[in-house]
Amino acid sequence: MKILAVDDEPLVLRLLDATLNGLGYHNTSFATTAAQALHLLESSKSPYSCILLDIRMPGMDGIELCQQIRRMPAYKTTPIIMLTSLAEKEYIDESFASGATDYMNKPVDATELAARLRVARLIQNEYQRSAHLEELNRAQIEGFQPMAPFDFAEPVQIDDVSRVVNSRAMENYLRQLDRLGLFKIGVIGFQIRHAGSLHAANAPEEFYGILADVAESISENTREVNALIAYLGKGSFAAVVPRASQIDRRDLEAGIAATLYEFELADLVDSTSDIKVSVGTQINGSVFGNTPDKMIDLAVRSAQGMTESKPKALAARIWSLAG
């Protein structure tokens, strides 16, 4: 596993070097500035398979550097672990929103780092699968070959949509928030209605297109609360929002419908199909304890259990939001 570690403190890098060597990771490069890191990434003959970034650095900080790295085609999906002494939720939010896949506090514990690197390897494998699907999708668009099929339950990576992360990154994000107290957040579930039928009736690239447009519509309609969103498979999405958010479920559902209408999503499938997204009730964290898995499960179940809105009422909301 080829690793790049970036920190402005040489002592921290020496400690990381010793820790990584002790764990059996010997192919590691080090940088003390963002400029050095970018040079190493651009000049390396083979791409790095994992990147460790400090957040607080002079000049370009770790969050800005993470964003720059994500703009590089070779590192669009490479696991990035943020290493920092900062534990405030805003830094965790910005880290994951900028493209990080995990987050660790300093001083780095060797056992925890070993576990995170194992997860990074799993993420890398998932991303490679998704990258293969995306490559095949581009080839299909250009007329060369169809996109490879993917399982309905697979939480495929949805790229190039603001604040949409891999499902594994979402798990890591919630794990970090769990340490700060999950009662500070809420989770909203979203369900594409009749998703199984849509998956069965459409080619893989068409169903992937549906997922991408639904993801973007959720992102657009939750922009004000800076939601972090993940696709979980089976037509289900989850968004983490501030607990204090006052989001009207029906308005959000209608807003998503209006946005999908603007995207002309129906052009991707049979004209008789009717793509709708159900929005569940926000599930808030509690001081009495709610595990991340339980919150997501409750949120998705809530979305799946929502009944069809009355056509006239829904249409009125859609047109009022569409202006």
Side-chain angles (χ1 to χ4, degrees), residues 18-60:
T19 302
L20 289 167
N21 272 297
L23 295 173
Y25 296 98
H26 306 296
N27 189 8
T28 306
S29 301
F30 301 93
T32 57
T33 67
Q36 288 179 4
L38 290 171
H39 174 72
L40 287 171
L41 292 168
E42 291 167 352
S43 61
S44 178
K45 292 182 180 180
S46 60
Y48 290 91
S49 48
C50 184
I51 302 170
L52 310 179
L53 295 183
D54 180 35
I55 287 184
R56 186 171 285 174
M57 297 190 296
M60 183 186 297

Side-chain angles (χ1 to χ4, degrees), residues 67-78:
Q67 293 171 338
Q68 290 276 11
I69 293 171
R70 286 299 185 222
R71 295 189 185 104
M72 303 170 70
Y75 296 100
K76 191 174 182 180
T77 59
T78 301

Side-chain angles (χ1 to χ4, degrees), residues 189-224:
F190 304 82
Q191 179 65 43
I192 301 174
R193 302 180 194 178
H194 312 298
S197 298
L198 290 171
H199 178 267
N202 292 280
E205 62 274 8
E206 292 170 339
F207 187 70
Y208 180 87
I210 291 172
L211 296 179
D213 276 357
V214 169
E216 188 165 355
S217 70
I218 294 172
S219 178
E220 285 290 328
N221 286 276
T222 57
R223 185 184 301 274
E224 291 185 2

Side-chain angles (χ1 to χ4, degrees), residues 93-112:
D93 287 356
E94 288 306 311
S95 294
F96 282 93
S98 68
T101 50
D102 211 341
Y103 186 107
M104 284 186 65
N105 290 113
K106 296 178 183 177
V108 172
D109 177 77
T111 302
E112 185 179 5

